[in-house]
Amino acid sequence: MGSSLVNAFTARWCAESFREKNAVVSGVGLWPLLAILAGAAQGDARAELAAAVGVSADAASQAGVDALRSLDLSFEAHTALGAWVRSGIPLNTEWVDSLPAGTVEELTDQAALDAWAAKHTAGLIKAFPVQVTEQTLFVIASALVAKTRWVKPFGRTATLSGSGDWAGHQGAGLHRTTYDKSVALLDDTVTRVIVRGGLLDVHLLVSDDGPQRALAAGFAALADAADVRTDFTVDTTGPCLRVARGKTTRGDAVNLTVPAFEVASLHDLTEHKELFGLTALTRPDPRGHLPGISPVPLMLDQAKQDVIARFDAEGFEAAAVTALAMTPGSVPYYEWATIVSVELDRPFGFLAVDRKTGLVIVAGQVAEPPREWERTDASASRWA
């Protein structure tokens, strides 16, 4: 499977949700959660979630855990998976054991979740994206943070500029060159520049047809589904690209001018229920959608992602927290029954009897019960 399914999922999200505004998403923050839920779901929810992640439901849960673990192999990325359950709600032991040790904790309050988000994003995201209510029974979330410093920092000018020792992408190999591989034309319509960090590269993409077209070409290139041209002749042009001859003391070079930027987004994932396979999961069902997690019927109440990305002269950093909150999956079930009611609205007596010996411990009477049930604090009412 590798990264191809997750990248394709992220590409669909970008195409579906990006409009004329700054935006950033983390597909790798959401995809594993949907995969884990797919493996625990049944019925329409199971089918929808499996289709959204592109993995069979039987294999999805392990694929979700593996996707997060794969990022932790990098020294510049960290991920975390968390699940919280309300006291008294049973969880299936097999499901808990399938997750990394220590993943599941008791659901307490918002402050605890906020602290978890801050801890696992190095303070970049300080507030957990969903709000815990009295109805919240179960929450599952992922967190990730990635930070890198450029191999060669940009010059400290109003617009960031630099030249020389960057990286280029050709096929599956990463090449350290000074000129012809860090800049490419994708399908002859999109200019791509790769800025190299320690273990993380940032691909900058521009098209005359707008960012959507540029991103689509960038994803296609990662999947080896785009024509990538890096051998430029003098007078080659492209979006924001010009190749010319000039005098220099450093030989062939790449000069990049790009503004520093910070983009942050808070996404309500329920606005794209069909894309994420969440439609059935948001409907009440007395049978429950997620029997693999708990025998208690659960339904999706909130699904949000908070994500931030920063690019400056020194490097790049990004963080995301994605969370799904569940509430009771069905309203209480009522059926016809015989109900006996007793209302003591006149004088009555009482005995306190030891059950084992039959001894009356105390005996008494209430000669003047409160009228019309204007009771004292000691009054009591109960169904027989």
Side-chain angles (χ1 to χ4, degrees):
M1 180 191 67
S3 60
S4 58
L5 282 174
V6 182
N7 286 346
F9 174 85
T10 306
R12 292 195 300 273
W13 190 358
C14 292
E16 177 77 19
S17 65
F18 284 8
R19 298 294 179 262
E20 300 300 321
K21 61 181 181 180
N22 291 348
V24 58
V25 302
S26 175
V28 76
L30 174 59
W31 190 93
L33 298 184
L34 300 179
I36 290 170
L37 293 183
Q42 68 179 359
D44 290 344
R46 184 178 179 88
E48 288 181 359
L49 289 165
V53 298
V55 179
S56 71
D58 291 341
S61 184
Q62 187 61 51
V65 173
D66 289 345
L68 289 175
R69 283 176 172 161
S70 68
L71 278 181
D72 279 329
L73 297 177
S74 169
F75 291 112
E76 294 187 335
H78 167 74
T79 68
L81 179 66
W84 297 264
V85 62
R86 184 74 69 183
S87 177
I89 301 300
L91 296 182
N92 289 333
T93 302
E94 184 177 350
W95 183 81
V96 174
D97 291 344
S98 72
L99 305 178
T103 296
V104 180
E105 300 179 18
E106 182 179 345
L107 181 60
T108 55
D109 57 20
Q110 193 71 39
L113 297 183
D114 290 345
W116 184 88
K119 174 183 177 181
H120 292 291
T121 61
L124 291 176
I125 296 177
K126 296 180 173 59
F128 201 74
V130 303
Q131 296 297 306
V132 175
T133 70
E134 291 182 356
Q135 291 295 306
T136 305
L137 301 184
F138 176 79
V139 176
I140 188 168
S142 73
L144 62 87
V145 62
K147 294 186 177 185
T148 193
R149 290 293 174 259
W150 306 134
V151 171
K152 180 173 183 178
F154 287 86
R156 299 185 180 279
T157 58
T159 55
L160 309 181
S161 63
S163 63
D165 186 20
W166 295 352
H169 212 287
Q170 186 177 41
L174 191 64
H175 305 274
R176 297 184 182 183
T177 70
T178 58
Y179 175 60
D180 66 337
K181 297 297 189 296
S182 61
V183 180
L185 275 172
L186 310 181
D187 295 331
D188 288 326
T189 62
V190 174
T191 300
R192 181 187 69 186
V193 182
I194 299 178
V195 187
R196 184 164 67 95
L199 293 173
L200 186 150
D201 298 331
V202 174
H203 294 210
L204 303 173
L205 300 146
V206 60
S207 167
D208 290 337
D209 296 324
Q212 281 276 19
R213 166 62 187 141
L215 285 168
F219 280 112
L222 287 172
D224 294 326
D227 177 57
V228 180
R229 182 160 68 97
T230 58
D231 296 325
F232 301 133
T233 59
V234 174
D235 295 330
T236 297
T237 60
C240 298
L241 169 69
R242 180 174 64 91
V243 181
R245 297 291 290 175
K247 293 182 178 181
T248 177
T249 60
R250 303 181 61 188
D252 291 343
V254 173
N255 294 307
L256 170 65
T257 300
V258 58
F261 60 82
E262 176 178 315
V263 182
S265 297
L266 177 61
H267 301 281
D268 184 345
L269 306 178
T270 62
E271 293 179 355
H272 302 283
K273 290 186 289 188
E274 295 81 6
L275 176 64
F276 302 136
L278 298 175
T279 302
L281 201 58
T282 58
R283 300 190 190 118
D285 189 333
R287 300 168 300 174
H289 298 295
L290 301 167
I293 294 177
S294 174
V296 175
L298 299 172
M299 63 177 286
L300 184 67
D301 176 52
Q302 301 174 69
K304 294 184 178 181
Q305 181 181 90
D306 197 356
V307 57
I308 186 172
R310 293 173 180 160
F311 180 110
D312 62 22
E314 299 296 326
F316 178 83
E317 60 185 11
V321 176
T322 311
L324 310 177
M326 310 288 174
T327 55
S330 64
V331 296
Y333 177 70
Y334 297 101
E335 61 182 8
W336 290 106
T338 299
I339 300 174
V340 177
S341 301
V342 177
E343 188 170 331
L344 299 178
D345 60 355
R346 64 200 63 188
F348 60 91
F350 62 90
L351 302 174
V353 181
D354 178 75
R355 183 182 300 111
K356 184 176 182 181
T357 64
L359 290 173
V360 175
I361 307 303
V362 295
Q365 70 174 17
V366 178
E368 297 180 0
R371 293 187 178 182
E372 298 180 358
W373 297 105
E374 296 174 357
R375 299 172 173 229
T376 65
D377 290 339
S379 300
S381 177
R382 174 176 301 193
W383 292 117

